[in-house]
Amino acid sequence: MDKIQVGTKLSYSKKICELDVLMFGLLSGDFNPIHFDRNVAKKTKFGEPVVHGLLTGSLVSALLARLPGIPVLLSCSLNFKSPVKPDDIVTVDGEVIEVDKEKKNRYTIKITCRANEKIVVEGQAKILLWTI
């Protein structure tokens, strides 16, 4: 844990495919037609189906899982800036911006998700990190 300090950075990338969208719909119960129906999506400002915002947001968990030890998500605040479309590659970047001085195993991480060189999600995650 001594290696993790303010300024520590990590990154994770994933191509979001249509199967991911279907599986997320099954898991979450969210079958909003904006994600699945091309005819409905065509009538929106996006013009085509878009990925669930929380599917993109869930990649934060994949990012945090790359930390040493066992990360426990305490809170997460995300702002959705732009849609992700199936077949986009989403890159999630994290940077430690705060280490709790009293409880040194608690961290605040700035989150930025990009697709096609554009910021699609940004926010913060607060975690507890256990060593094993």
Side-chain angles (χ1 to χ4, degrees):
M1 302 273 215
D2 295 333
K3 297 176 188 174
I4 300 173
Q5 54 195 338
V6 171
T8 297
K9 295 181 180 183
L10 56 154
S11 188
Y12 172 75
S13 293
K14 176 175 176 40
K15 181 176 183 177
I16 306 292
C17 67
E18 288 188 26
L19 181 58
D20 293 320
V21 175
L22 176 60
M23 297 299 287
F24 192 84
L26 289 169
L27 179 66
S28 67
D30 180 351
F31 288 101
N32 182 332
I34 191 71
H35 307 303
F36 299 101
D37 188 324
R38 290 192 181 284
N39 292 324
V40 169
K42 197 180 293 186
K43 297 173 186 174
T44 70
K45 69 178 184 176
F46 306 124
E48 61 185 307
V50 297
V51 172
H52 300 79
L54 287 178
L55 171 53
T56 304
S58 73
L59 299 180
V60 171
S61 289
L63 173 79
L64 298 175
R66 276 134 182 87
L67 288 164
I70 301 170
V72 177
L73 186 60
L74 300 174
S75 67
C76 190
S77 172
L78 300 175
N79 297 306
F80 299 91
K81 303 289 190 179
S82 193
V84 172
K85 298 186 179 174
D87 295 325
D88 280 352
I89 296 172
V90 177
T91 299
V92 185
D93 293 311
E95 180 178 357
V96 176
I97 59 171
E98 183 179 357
V99 178
D100 188 313
K101 291 180 171 104
E102 292 179 21
K103 301 174 185 171
K104 295 189 185 290
N105 62 341
R106 293 178 190 248
Y107 303 86
T108 302
I109 301 171
K110 178 183 173 186
I111 303 295
T112 306
C113 302
R114 288 183 175 78
N116 302 313
E117 304 298 319
K118 188 175 192 178
I119 294 176
V120 294
V121 177
E122 55 187 4
Q124 286 187 358
K126 292 186 183 255
I127 64 165
L128 166 67
L129 193 58
W130 286 326
T131 56
I132 49 175

